[in-house]
Amino acid sequence: MRAYTGRIREAAKRLLAENRVDVVIGFRKGTIPLMNEPYLIKSVDQVNQLYWDSNCGINLANYLPKRPDRVGIVAKGCDSRNIVVHILENQIKREQLYIIGVPCKGMLDRRRIMAERNGREPLFAEELEHKVRTVRYELDLTRDRNYFLQDNCRICTHRNPVIYDELVGDLVEEQQVDRYTDVRKIEAMSAEERWEHFEKLIEPCLRCYACRNACPLCYCPTCFVDEARPQWVGKSLDKTDTRTFHFLRAFHVAGRCTDCGACERACPVGIQVRQFTKKMEKDIKELYGYEAGVIADERPPLDTYRPGDPEPFFK
Amino acid sequence: MSEWEPKIVAFLCNWCSYGSADLAGVSRLQYPHNIRAIRVPCSGRVNPKFILAALRQGADGIWVSGCHPGDCHYIEGNLYARRKFTLLKNLLDYTGMEPERLHFSWISSAEATKFAETARGVVDAVKTLGPARHFIKREAEVA
């Protein structure tokens, strides 16, 4: 995916030089290997800092809500779906945007690489064709890049951007996968086992709210966790409070979540928070046939209804 | 000590279920006294936060009741609510909560008998489960 860098720079340069946009949102190379950082550029001389490889997992749609200016944005499949969600939710107008679409082959999970290297951070990383090489002193490790993909990228069915003004490469082939095997596995457990499963899952949670901050959907002026009167979620590390937080967070993104994986990527203790949101995604798909951020003129599922909606347990 | 009785929080729509509770009372229909009624303007007003807050503060069961689909005073509030609660209940089940603690119903203001019947059903279901164990916030014990 390194080849995209040149095309992205070209596009950004053209857009800024022709004054088509005020700012371009992309990535630049991070200061340590395997970590690229979001980068906003406003002038042509910054263009050569823009960069693209398989460590651009952060969702750039997060920088869009309520921007007043004209924005050029680099968007892979999931970012583009979140842009659609933002447009639907009136967070930004389509006319303000120039979307530089990036067909994506999945992003790398730094944690997996670190685990494979027994926790020894690489000083150097490079991406070869279908491979990733990480180096530090004695340990020179080359592995298949698919081996290190993020969980959500493995089951991604929208690798190509759904809306774009130009593409930086040829569209890639979409995967045909069953997205919900893990949800079904949990569904098959007994109620008690499920409770224990989630209890264990969120046990290390520090309530740092990194998952919330990384999420492009979380743009409320006051988040429910910060509300004090009434206080819906306690501030302590109490088990019930932590569970309430994760539960409501998942419910809050119901029908909007595009499974971009930003939350899991941001979690400092590696909680698989997507386990909550994926259940919502599955239900909405099965009950209402809706997939978030794919069609730009359909209302989100919780903002609409059909007369014959299923009501399995209403008396 | 007397036998355990469940506490049930009922969110009743002002335009229908609350009226039916009233009618049930006026008609001298018997139903268990475990129900704590909270009057809301519409079943669509009930936020999942309310339900979790009730559980956290020690409710053993929750019952949300509104107008029949198509009869909403605000035209469509209960239709949004229907989607919201379907997903909510599914997610609660998924995370290990007993499904029998959460009840939803459509009761018009003329259906006092249905109100009394449903109330009995809800209380029976929660009684069978016993006291709530999940989502309760235990206050720190102070000596």
Side-chain angles (χ1 to χ4, degrees):
Chain A
M1 288 212 258
R2 284 278 301 283
Y4 292 160
T5 304
R7 301 283 298 272
I8 290 171
R9 286 179 187 170
E10 228 169 76
K13 195 168 173 184
R14 192 178 65 243
L15 290 172
L16 288 166
E18 290 172 6
N19 195 24
R20 296 271 299 277
V21 297
D22 300 310
V23 59
V24 174
I25 307 178
F27 280 93
R28 76 169 157 190
K29 211 167 167 36
T31 45
I32 55 171
L34 305 173
M35 297 277 259
N36 290 341
E37 58 187 5
Y39 189 45
L40 281 72
I41 59 168
K42 291 195 166 179
S43 82
V44 180
D45 28 299
Q46 292 167 298
V47 159
N48 284 336
Q49 292 193 55
L50 286 174
Y51 189 73
W52 191 272
D53 63 13
S54 297
N55 301 298
C56 298
I58 293 168
N59 195 327
L60 292 180
N62 209 358
Y63 297 94
L64 289 181
K66 301 276 186 250
R67 274 198 86 95
D69 47 358
R70 295 166 303 157
V71 184
I73 182 166
V74 181
K76 43 190 189 300
C78 45
D79 302 48
S80 76
R81 287 173 70 194
N82 276 107
I83 293 172
V84 170
V85 175
H86 280 328
I87 295 170
L88 272 175
E89 294 175 359
N90 297 323
Q91 293 304 306
I92 194 132
K93 291 198 181 74
R94 180 68 181 92
E95 303 82 78
Q96 280 173 269
L97 295 172
Y98 188 93
I99 302 164
I100 304 165
V102 179
C104 171
K105 286 189 178 157
M107 289 294 155
L108 299 179
D109 185 343
R110 192 166 178 272
R111 275 199 199 90
R112 265 181 222 275
I113 297 176
M114 297 299 277
E116 191 69 16
R117 296 183 55 85
N118 295 324
R120 279 173 292 180
E121 266 193 53
L123 285 176
F124 168 80
E126 71 174 336
E127 230 175 285
L128 313 159
E129 187 84 7
H130 307 302
K131 300 257 189 230
V132 182
R133 176 166 172 243
T134 50
V135 184
R136 179 184 200 174
Y137 308 127
E138 73 290 359
L139 186 56
D140 183 338
L141 191 79
T142 307
R143 282 264 188 290
D144 204 27
R145 90 179 265 288
N146 285 344
Y147 185 77
F148 292 126
L149 283 191
Q150 287 185 177
D151 282 342
N152 65 309
C153 297
R154 281 163 201 273
I155 52 163
C156 176
T157 51
H158 289 278
R159 293 176 142 189
N160 294 308
V162 291
I163 46 167
Y164 51 82
D165 294 297
E166 72 171 77
L167 282 177
V168 297
D170 296 332
L171 292 175
V172 295
E173 200 188 330
E174 295 289 2
Q175 307 185 101
Q176 302 295 327
V177 282
D178 176 13
R179 288 182 53 77
Y180 305 114
T181 39
D182 50 343
V183 178
R184 275 192 218 100
K185 215 160 87 191
I186 298 173
E187 279 171 345
M189 297 179 189
S190 74
E192 213 43 44
E193 280 168 355
R194 269 177 274 150
W195 182 268
E196 284 306 316
H197 171 82
F198 284 102
E199 203 79 333
K200 241 171 65 208
L201 184 81
I202 58 174
E203 218 208 331
C205 180
L206 313 164
R207 298 279 293 284
C208 66
Y209 303 140
C211 45
R212 174 194 70 175
N213 290 5
C215 179
L217 301 168
C218 294
Y219 56 73
C220 296
T222 308
C223 178
F224 69 93
V225 297
D226 298 323
E227 284 174 344
R229 284 189 185 187
Q231 191 186 55
W232 301 111
V233 188
K235 313 262 185 223
S236 64
L237 274 180
D238 179 272
K239 270 186 179 176
T240 304
D241 290 337
T242 307
R243 193 178 261 257
T244 310
F245 163 65
H246 284 283
F247 188 92
L248 284 176
R249 193 190 76 83
F251 199 81
H252 206 163
V253 299
R256 309 162 65 218
C257 176
T258 59
D259 203 32
C260 69
C263 43
E264 254 181 42
R265 193 184 171 89
C267 182
V269 288
I271 299 174
Q272 293 174 315
V273 288
R274 281 172 50 249
Q275 289 198 1
F276 289 92
T277 50
K278 273 192 71 194
K279 165 68 175 166
M280 303 258 61
E281 188 194 309
K282 174 169 177 273
D283 280 357
I284 286 169
K285 203 164 177 192
E286 283 171 4
L287 293 167
Y288 311 121
Y290 184 90
E291 223 180 339
V294 178
I295 306 166
D297 52 5
E298 197 178 350
R299 293 307 301 165
L302 283 171
D303 186 40
T304 184
Y305 60 84
R306 272 185 226 119
D309 277 338
E311 40 174 48
F313 42 74
F314 284 75
K315 286 188 199 83
Chain B
M1 214 176 115
S2 62
E3 205 189 323
W4 170 78
E5 288 288 336
K7 289 191 193 108
I8 287 159
V9 175
F11 295 94
L12 307 178
C13 162
N14 173 45
W15 303 102
C16 50
S17 305
Y18 195 83
S20 70
D22 215 6
L23 185 62
V26 172
S27 320
R28 300 274 186 274
L29 296 176
Q30 295 289 319
Y31 63 90
H33 58 264
N34 310 64
I35 311 280
R36 274 79 166 156
I38 296 178
R39 182 160 68 155
V40 289
C42 176
S43 51
R45 174 67 184 89
V46 180
N47 190 310
K49 289 173 188 168
F50 300 176
I51 293 171
L52 291 187
L55 290 169
R56 188 164 68 241
Q57 289 170 35
D60 298 301
I62 310 281
W63 175 24
V64 182
S65 187
C67 306
H68 287 274
D71 289 349
C72 180
H73 185 75
Y74 307 99
I75 316 297
E76 51 187 17
N78 55 356
L79 298 172
Y80 292 116
R82 179 163 65 182
R83 283 196 166 193
K84 188 158 59 182
F85 296 137
T86 308
L87 292 174
L88 176 76
K89 188 164 162 126
N90 283 354
L91 188 60
L92 273 171
D93 288 1
Y94 180 70
T95 54
M97 174 88 178
E98 307 97 320
E100 288 301 297
R101 295 215 186 268
L102 218 56
H103 296 265
F104 302 99
S105 62
W106 310 130
I107 300 175
S108 87
S109 56
E111 295 176 318
T113 23
K114 183 175 177 189
F115 182 88
E117 265 167 37
T118 316
R120 276 194 289 274
V122 171
V123 173
D124 286 346
V126 178
K127 253 189 187 165
T128 333
L129 286 176
R133 290 169 297 145
H134 299 325
F135 270 114
I136 311 163
K137 177 133 182 205
R138 311 211 181 272
E139 296 299 329
E141 279 176 35
V142 183

